[in-house]
């Protein structure tokens, strides 16, 4: 909720803020929300770095989404 409200305020949603939000979802075992933000980054033209990919892969692992985690890992390897 707070992260969504940032879009309407003076705070810029950049790689760092997205990474923090993806990591928070990963830590709270909310892999779907973590991946939604991960995908939103691309749609918003925000760079996804190794930290972003690591958090997204970890979220998938914790959610037992092995194929999605492997796909993200391959994407990360190809892009970084």
């Amino acid at each position: 909720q707070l992260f969504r409200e940032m879009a309407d305020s003076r705070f810029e949603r950049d790689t760092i803020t997205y990474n923090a939000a993806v990591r928070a979802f990963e830590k709270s075992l909310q892999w779907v929300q973590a991946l939604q933000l991960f995908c939103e980054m691309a749609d918003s033209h925000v760079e996804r770095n190794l930290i972003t990919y690591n958090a997204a892969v970890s979220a998938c692992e914790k959610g037992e989404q092995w194929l999605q985690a492997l796909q993200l890992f391959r994407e990360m390897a190809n892009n970084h």
Side-chain angles (χ1 to χ4, degrees):
Q1 176 70 22
L2 177 62
F3 191 76
R4 301 268 184 240
E5 291 174 3
M6 287 178 68
D8 299 328
S9 69
R10 60 184 172 89
F11 296 102
E12 180 181 352
R13 297 191 313 176
D14 59 10
T15 301
I16 294 170
T17 55
Y18 269 102
N19 284 351
V22 171
R23 180 67 72 193
F25 282 128
E26 176 254 328
K27 295 286 185 192
S28 62
L29 306 177
Q30 298 181 51
W31 70 271
V32 173
Q33 293 84 347
L35 288 185
Q36 286 174 342
L37 284 182
F38 180 84
C39 292
E40 184 179 303
M41 290 177 77
D43 295 341
S44 300
H45 306 290
V46 175
E47 178 187 3
R48 298 184 290 191
N49 60 20
L50 293 175
I51 294 169
T52 316
Y53 277 95
N54 183 42
V57 168
S58 181
C60 289
E61 178 267 326
K62 289 178 179 176
E64 298 183 357
Q65 303 301 308
W66 312 116
L67 293 177
Q68 183 67 45
L70 183 57
Q71 180 181 2
L72 289 171
F73 186 78
R74 287 181 179 149
E75 182 181 323
M76 177 181 62
N78 289 335
N79 292 331
H80 293 281

